[in-house]
Each structure stands twice: as C-alpha cells, then as structure tokens.
Amino acid sequence: MKITAAIARILLGVIFLVFGLNGFLHFIKMPPPTGVALQFMGALIASHEIAVIMVLQVIGAVLLLSNRFVPLALLLLGPVIVNIVLFHAFMAPNGLPMALIVSVLWILTAYGVRGVFVGFSRSRVERAA
C-alpha cells in the first residue's frame, strides 16, 4: 500500500501541476463550456477567484511532488477537488470521469498519511494543561 500511495501522490501532483499551470499559461486548449458552466466560469474569471484556485493547485502539486508537507497539500487540494467534482456533476458532465479519478488518487494519497488525519475524527478535544 505504501507504493500505491506514493504513485497516487505523484500522479495527483502531476495532474494538479499541469492543470494549475495551464490556468495561467493556457498551453492545453480546452473547448469552452456552455450554459450554466459558462456563466460559472465567467464569474470565477471576472472575480479573479480562478487565480487563487490555480495558485492553490500549483502549491499543492509542488508539495506533493516534493513529498514535503503532504497533509497540508491534501488539505489545500481537498476543497478544490470537491468543487471540481460538483462542477462536473452538475454543470459539465463530460469531465466527471477525470474528476472521479482525481478523487480516488486523493483518497489513496490520504490513506498513505492517514495517521495525521486521526485527530479530525475525534468527537471531543482534550484541553491542554
């Protein structure tokens, strides 16, 4: 499982590095969205929120690829992945398979560092003395 988590971490890092940089450099030509997806992307671009999302993707990717602060990278990329899945589930279903693959890679990577996330599942927090 250790090798699987490492492979998932590297694949996830490469995917987010490529698509994060593509948000700035536009080296992969993508067909423009239509309908509500176009309006949503237009709002992200007009508000410059897309730049923040792309920066988070690049930072998370670099952390994953360098194998440094992997839990932090997963925390940065988690909400981005949720939004990507929801965007493709409700507005642009043609990208849903890739979004689900990225979700599986995130889960496999998180499983590799699961000990760090144990504290999030506690129902009560003990006070420090």
Side-chain angles (χ1 to χ4, degrees):
M1 191 63 188
K2 196 174 194 181
I3 294 172
T4 304
I7 291 170
R9 177 182 54 79
I10 292 168
L11 287 174
L12 191 63
V14 168
I15 289 169
F16 275 107
L17 184 64
V18 167
F19 286 102
L21 289 175
N22 187 54
F24 296 110
L25 305 176
H26 308 292
F27 51 85
I28 299 174
K29 300 297 179 203
M30 294 188 196
T34 59
V36 178
L38 176 64
Q39 293 174 350
F40 181 75
M41 290 303 294
L44 288 177
I45 292 167
S47 67
H48 303 290
E49 186 177 341
I50 195 76
V52 174
I53 295 168
M54 295 302 160
V55 166
L56 288 173
Q57 288 183 19
V58 171
I59 291 170
V62 169
L63 291 174
L64 288 174
L65 291 172
S66 66
N67 199 20
R68 308 273 298 171
F69 304 105
V70 172
L72 175 61
L74 292 173
L75 285 174
L76 290 174
L77 294 175
V80 174
I81 293 171
V82 169
N83 281 301
I84 290 170
V85 169
L86 293 175
F87 173 80
H88 287 295
F90 295 117
M91 294 184 243
N94 57 346
L96 190 57
M98 184 64 171
L100 294 177
I101 289 170
V102 167
S103 299
V104 169
L105 291 173
W106 188 94
I107 291 167
L108 290 172
T109 305
Y111 186 78
V113 292
R114 65 190 173 277
V116 176
F117 295 111
V118 170
F120 288 114
S121 62
R122 293 187 183 150
S123 63
R124 293 185 183 259
V125 178
E126 295 179 21
R127 293 188 169 228

